[in-house]
Amino acid sequence: MQEIKDFIEANKERFLDELKELLRIPSISADPAYSKDVARAAETVAEQLKKAGAEHVEICKTAGHPIVYGEKMINPNAPTVLVYGHYDVQPPDPMELWDSPPFEPVIKDGKIYARGSSDDKGQMYMHVKALETMINTGTLTCNIKLMIEGEEEVGSVHLTEFVKENKEKLKADVVLVSDTALLANDVPSITSGLRGLSYMEVEVTGPNRDLHSGIYGGAVANPINVLCDMISSLIDENGHITVKGFYNDVLEVSDEERAEMAKAPFDENEFKSELDINTAHGENGFSTPEHTTIRPALDVNGIWGGYIGEGAKTVLPSKAHAKISMRLVPNQGSEKITGLFTEHFENIAPPYVKVKVTAHHGGEAFVTPTDFPAYQAASIAMEETFGKKPIPARSGGSIPIVPMFEKELGIKTILLGFGLNSDAIHSPNESFGLFNFYKGIETIPHFFHHYARIKGNVEV
Ligand code: BES
Ligand code: MN
Ligand code: MN
């Protein structure tokens, strides 16, 4: 596979320049003000796919942002890999915390800094360049279909419809996704699980208008105070979520499996010092890595109401709001949890306020087996390029479309991510290591090689 290394080495700078071009486009799917940029990013991805050698490249319109599709079918007897990625990004705010502008990529200390560099433009683009590499070195051994969407960060609503309507077109043996992280650059890993998600918004209303906090304060319930009480009651002193019925369906992980997971290197001190916290904090009886993988979590993502401008304004506000996410583990249905939360939150509301609960997007948790051909191929590929056998590791993030692929297409997904948790995805100063970018481009062709070999039917 020396030819792969050589081709990447010879084209290194150009690969990076092309990625930068994509990173300059503010394809923020959540904000309608950027929908033209999102469309421009889709066109750029389509152009880049064509240049890489993909055929039948098309921009598929949806009721939301478009999906870019392309393929290279080489042999009807060879296995087919469906690559999935996303070209949309999270909003960059808070802007003032970026050291350099989010859509003007800069290289510093061996990393490329820009919104989307790791999540997921940089990782998605590794596949485009891996395809180009395989075509140019004559090492493409599988049929490949690529589907790059523009709504992952807003719940993949239209992709779900697209998948349901295009089952034949998307037929494949496995889905390959690079949108997760390695444990560390010297601890290669394959993501073996994702958490599910229920995302809620709550509104608490007290009096019918904002009041003078002197004239009324003390006699009328303040919805912000009440919301804070309600929120703080959602997690008890043992770190348990108090939503009635919340743990009923949780799949407990066996002691053996926990012991196996605990073998993955994890440095609690490094974790604390990287985040500048004195101590980690979570559910009693579980370790920090377990808190973020095999156990659910409930977090307030935003809270607002009343006066937050300069100086002081004496006001007893009429309304208070919060956005609350719940990360779920296997077997906890997202819709069921959404229902339980709604019921619980309405039940705990004291009589002096009204509450309104609405649901945003959600998705199911996912676990992947470690004994099927795609996992074996990924494991050997990483061992070859990292010089170390990767370990399976569950992740705490969510990619709701992954369990959907299994449900709608009956295809398993292999999560071959090359980011790092320290990439600061969704945060200011997001970055992606150049080591990771090139290592991904190199590892993907190795995966294809071994997948064709293990899955069978073709000589490699
Ligand atoms: N790529 C992330 C998910 C991720 C990151 C999984 C790191 C594992 C490790 C994805 O783009 C993402 O941000 N997903 C959202 C969910 C979505 C419905 C908005 C998330 O996890 O918050
Ligand atoms: Mn992502
Ligand atoms: Mn994301």
Side-chain angles (χ1 to χ4, degrees), residues 234 241-248 336-337 339-341 343-345 347-348:
L234 294 175
I241 295 160
T242 61
V243 172
K244 219 165 169 258
F246 187 85
Y247 290 93
N248 284 359
K336 182 165 174 191
I337 292 294
L340 289 176
F341 179 91
E343 204 177 310
H344 180 85
F345 207 76
N347 280 341
I348 62 170

Side-chain angles (χ1 to χ4, degrees), residues 176-193:
L176 178 62
V177 180
S178 296
D179 195 20
T180 54
L182 299 166
L183 287 178
N185 281 351
D186 56 356
V187 190
S189 56
I190 297 173
T191 304
S192 55

Side-chain angles (χ1 to χ4, degrees), residues 119 152-153 426:
D119 184 12
E152 195 278 340
E153 300 291 6
H426 294 207

Side-chain angles (χ1 to χ4, degrees), residues 16-153:
L16 196 58
D17 286 342
E18 291 172 13
L19 173 60
K20 281 187 190 162
E21 184 191 327
L22 192 59
L23 291 171
R24 285 194 194 98
I25 307 173
S27 47
I28 307 163
S29 51
D31 189 342
Y34 290 87
S35 59
K36 281 219 169 71
D37 295 296
V38 178
R40 199 152 56 83
E43 281 156 27
T44 305
V45 172
E47 277 314 306
Q48 288 168 336
L49 271 179
K50 278 183 212 161
K51 280 192 205 144
E55 291 164 359
H56 306 293
V57 174
E58 47 179 329
I59 297 176
C60 308
K61 290 210 164 59
T62 72
H65 300 304
I67 296 158
V68 184
Y69 178 85
E71 61 183 37
K72 179 83 182 170
M73 307 300 280
I74 55 153
N75 175 353
N77 295 320
T80 301
V81 177
L82 173 61
V83 171
Y84 163 81
H86 62 96
Y87 65 80
D88 66 320
V89 302
Q90 285 275 327
D93 349 25
M95 290 295 272
E96 66 279 10
L97 296 184
W98 284 79
D99 295 333
S100 56
F103 298 104
E104 292 173 29
V106 293
I107 312 266
K108 210 172 64 185
D109 307 327
K111 298 176 194 172
I112 182 159
Y113 285 83
R115 169 57 86 234
S117 53
S118 174
D119 184 12
D120 179 44
K121 285 173 174 170
Q123 296 212 59
M124 173 274 286
Y125 204 64
M126 297 179 319
H127 287 273
V128 182
K129 293 299 100 177
L131 174 64
E132 180 184 322
T133 302
M134 288 188 283
I135 292 176
N136 278 275
T137 54
T139 56
L140 181 60
T141 49
C142 300
N143 300 308
I144 176 169
K145 298 177 176 179
L146 301 104
M147 178 170 67
I148 318 297
E149 73 152 320
E151 295 191 322
E152 195 278 340
E153 300 291 6

